Amino acid sequence: MIHIIVGKVKRVLQSCGAMAASEEDVKLLGSVGSPFVIRVQIALKLKGVEYKYVEEKLGNLSETLIQYNPVYKMVPVFVHNGKPISESRVILEYIDETWKQNPILPSDPYKKALARFWSKFIDDKCVAAAWKSVFMVDEKQREKAREELLEALQFLENELKDKFFGGEDIGFVDIAALFIPLFQQVAEFQLFTSDNFPKLYKWSLEFYNHPVVNEIMPSKDQQFAYFKARAESLAASNK
Amino acid sequence: MIHIIVGKVKRVLQSCGAMAASEEDVKLLGSVGSPFVIRVQIALKLKGVEYKYVEEKLGNLSETLIQYNPVYKMVPVFVHNGKPISESRVILEYIDETWKQNPILPSDPYKKALARFWSKFIDDKCVAAAWKSVFMVDEKQREKAREELLEALQFLENELKDKFFGGEDIGFVDIAALFIPLFQQVAEFQLFTSDNFPKLYKWSLEFYNHPVVNEIMPSKDQQFAYFKARAESLAASNK
């Protein structure tokens, strides 16, 4: 009798598992070369989550994307079982909460707060200054933005205590910070070297050498093409 | 025998509780009238967390504050058992994770992602546009910022489905959004009325009437004094 019940429970559990697997619909709308899309791709790869990638063309976004992200009209958009989420850091948190394996945020609330603080800092202070340091028309403004960027990098340099920001393996802040070496690759000036920011420089090598990052990272040409298209798209929207 | 053991366990638990209570050191460095400080105060009040409030003078911040928040040199700074956290949304998440009672974020990961998205939207789109709409020297730029702000408010109006953004009780997005009615109170122009944004207008009344919000909210004079000091402090730092 017990065997029969156990057998039934097993079959029910198996069929539930099969249903869950077939119901899992994971999609990422991105543009090759976008550092914000790469963030999401790295997180999904670290978690081992399978997904469908849909390429969006900057300057000519699909109606689906605009419907999913009417506020910012930007990639990445992550769609889980039909429900869309925008903003890369919001997506990363969702992924970390939904697929618990290989956590990218620390479990300790204080360490988690610090990870949120520094990843927000990267978006607020580094990303904007990096763009301005290249694309501002006025040379003085470009120079000012470059100084702000170097100041922000100094904070990150001081914050790096271990191999990665996340400790011995890559985590939330590392994934957010990928913008910095990627930007250095495509920008025309040398942002950080082993001389001015030795810890950040070493980190960038470790980061690029990580097998998951290595597999995800697009080619330099693809990165360059993205930054060019993004700049053109921004210029067009400011007209 | 059982009674003796139960008694012992009770005493141990009581002494643990007493220890925990005496070790709990909660401090908030703020400036009266700052909407970002009020966010933290509302969260702490909703949770019933006792804390020590330390007033900081804008334009003449204490060395302690600068030591705690060297990156932004701004209030609020929240200090829990000697560990400082900056950035109001990061602080709110920490408070919600540390004191579980009366959650301000939904437990469902998707709803949580939406709450993070909209609170970030308020900071990115409403706060900056609101400041610019008042403090930009050029009238055309002020007008442009005002249009951006109204466009952002329309998104929030469409997002309001219930009494509060958080449903039947106030949550993360409501706490973030307090900036908007507070700004309307101190700015010289009518931002939203029962005509142009009826749902947002009704929400602002419900929000102000909430007993916790009502208790925390500073007087109009205090709010005005804060905005004036903040504008002067910004003007001085841009010189």
Side-chain angles (χ1 to χ4, degrees):
Chain A
M1 178 63 181
I2 289 171
H3 283 289
I4 296 168
I5 293 171
V6 170
K8 267 194 182 174
V9 170
K10 265 192 184 171
R11 276 196 299 281
V12 170
L13 285 176
Q14 277 162 358
S15 74
C16 284
M19 263 178 63
S22 67
E23 278 177 10
E24 202 81 282
D25 180 10
V26 186
K27 236 179 350 199
L28 174 63
L29 282 65
S31 296
V32 170
S34 154
F36 306 102
V37 174
I38 301 170
R39 283 180 178 176
V40 181
Q41 289 175 304
I42 289 177
L44 290 170
K45 190 78 194 172
L46 282 170
K47 300 276 182 184
V49 177
E50 297 287 329
Y51 63 98
K52 189 185 163 199
Y53 177 82
V54 183
E55 178 69 10
E56 288 283 338
K57 201 171 146 48
L58 288 182
N60 187 21
L61 299 166
S62 73
E63 277 182 31
T64 312
L65 183 124
I66 289 164
Q67 189 189 324
Y68 279 147
N69 187 5
V71 175
Y72 295 102
K73 300 182 184 73
M74 272 164 74
V75 293
V77 170
F78 183 70
V79 193
H80 187 205
N81 296 331
K83 292 175 185 168
I85 307 173
S86 305
E87 297 290 273
S88 66
R89 283 185 290 127
V90 176
I91 298 171
L92 291 184
E93 292 236 23
Y94 176 81
I95 290 172
D96 207 34
E97 274 162 18
T98 304
W99 293 277
K100 305 280 186 196
Q101 65 273 25
N102 303 329
I104 52 174
L105 270 170
S107 58
D108 171 73
Y110 186 69
K111 287 183 183 162
K112 202 184 275 186
L114 290 184
R116 285 183 180 130
F117 175 85
W118 286 112
S119 55
K120 184 177 182 298
F121 170 82
I122 288 162
D123 283 359
D124 290 350
K125 292 288 177 182
C126 302
V127 174
W131 277 104
K132 285 183 191 167
S133 71
V134 172
F135 295 115
M136 288 300 256
V137 179
D138 183 53
E139 199 188 319
K140 271 190 187 166
Q141 285 186 308
R142 282 206 304 278
E143 191 52 43
K144 194 181 165 222
R146 196 170 161 173
E147 274 168 31
E148 280 170 16
L149 182 54
L150 291 174
E151 199 182 316
L153 292 186
Q154 188 61 57
F155 276 113
L156 291 177
E157 173 83 3
N158 300 346
E159 193 51 28
L160 253 173
K161 308 275 190 313
D162 303 299
K163 187 174 167 186
F164 293 107
F165 287 99
E168 279 313 293
D169 210 348
I170 65 175
F172 204 83
V173 181
D174 300 282
I175 296 172
L178 69 85
F179 177 86
I180 298 161
L182 206 146
F183 179 77
Q184 160 136 316
Q185 274 214 336
V186 292
E188 282 174 353
F189 57 86
Q190 198 70 2
L191 198 57
F192 59 90
T193 64
S194 55
D195 287 332
N196 64 351
F197 295 113
K199 290 199 284 179
L200 212 49
Y201 180 78
K202 192 167 169 286
W203 165 84
S204 72
L205 300 181
E206 298 280 11
F207 186 74
Y208 270 93
N209 280 335
H210 191 286
V212 166
V213 176
N214 194 273
E215 195 186 321
I216 297 290
M217 209 57 86
S219 70
K220 203 180 159 179
D221 281 355
Q222 284 173 321
Q223 290 170 32
F224 193 78
Y226 166 79
F227 273 83
K228 199 166 161 277
R230 179 94 182 91
E232 282 166 3
S233 158
L234 276 176
S237 69
N238 284 335
K239 263 178 192 162
Chain B
M1 178 65 181
I2 289 172
H3 283 290
I4 295 168
I5 293 170
V6 170
K8 267 193 182 177
V9 169
K10 265 192 184 170
R11 275 196 300 280
V12 170
L13 285 176
Q14 277 163 357
S15 74
C16 284
M19 263 177 65
S22 68
E23 278 175 11
E24 203 82 283
D25 179 13
V26 186
K27 238 180 348 201
L28 174 62
L29 281 65
S31 297
V32 169
S34 155
F36 306 102
V37 174
I38 301 169
R39 284 179 178 176
V40 181
Q41 289 176 303
I42 288 177
L44 290 170
K45 190 79 194 174
L46 282 170
K47 300 276 181 182
V49 177
E50 297 288 328
Y51 63 98
K52 190 185 162 196
Y53 177 82
V54 182
E55 177 70 10
E56 288 284 338
K57 201 171 148 46
L58 288 181
N60 187 22
L61 299 166
S62 73
E63 276 181 32
T64 311
L65 183 126
I66 290 165
Q67 189 190 325
Y68 280 146
N69 187 5
V71 176
Y72 296 102
K73 299 182 184 73
M74 273 164 73
V75 293
V77 169
F78 182 70
V79 192
H80 187 204
N81 295 332
K83 293 175 185 167
I85 307 173
S86 305
E87 296 291 272
S88 66
R89 283 186 290 126
V90 176
I91 298 171
L92 290 184
E93 292 237 24
Y94 176 82
I95 289 172
D96 207 33
E97 275 163 16
T98 305
W99 293 277
K100 306 280 186 198
Q101 64 275 24
N102 303 328
I104 52 174
L105 270 169
S107 58
D108 172 71
Y110 186 68
K111 287 184 183 163
K112 204 185 276 188
L114 290 184
R116 286 184 179 129
F117 175 86
W118 286 112
S119 56
K120 185 178 183 297
F121 170 83
I122 288 162
D123 283 358
D124 291 350
K125 293 287 177 184
C126 303
V127 174
W131 277 105
K132 283 182 191 168
S133 71
V134 171
F135 294 114
M136 289 299 256
V137 178
D138 182 54
E139 198 188 322
K140 271 188 186 166
Q141 285 185 309
R142 280 206 305 278
E143 190 52 44
K144 194 180 165 222
R146 196 169 161 173
E147 275 168 29
E148 280 170 17
L149 182 54
L150 292 173
E151 200 182 315
L153 292 186
Q154 189 59 58
F155 276 113
L156 291 177
E157 174 83 4
N158 300 346
E159 192 50 29
L160 253 173
K161 309 273 187 316
D162 304 297
K163 186 174 167 188
F164 293 106
F165 287 98
E168 279 312 294
D169 210 349
I170 65 174
F172 205 83
V173 180
D174 300 282
I175 296 172
L178 70 85
F179 178 85
I180 299 161
L182 204 146
F183 180 78
Q184 160 136 318
Q185 274 213 337
V186 292
E188 281 174 352
F189 58 86
Q190 198 71 0
L191 197 58
F192 58 92
T193 64
S194 55
D195 288 331
N196 64 351
F197 296 112
K199 289 200 284 178
L200 213 48
Y201 181 78
K202 191 167 168 288
W203 165 84
S204 73
L205 300 181
E206 297 279 12
F207 186 75
Y208 271 94
N209 279 336
H210 190 287
V212 165
V213 176
N214 194 274
E215 196 187 321
I216 297 290
M217 209 55 89
S219 71
K220 202 180 161 181
D221 281 354
Q222 284 173 321
Q223 290 170 32
F224 192 79
Y226 166 80
F227 273 81
K228 199 167 161 277
R230 180 95 181 91
E232 282 167 1
S233 157
L234 277 175
S237 69
N238 285 334
K239 267 180 192 161

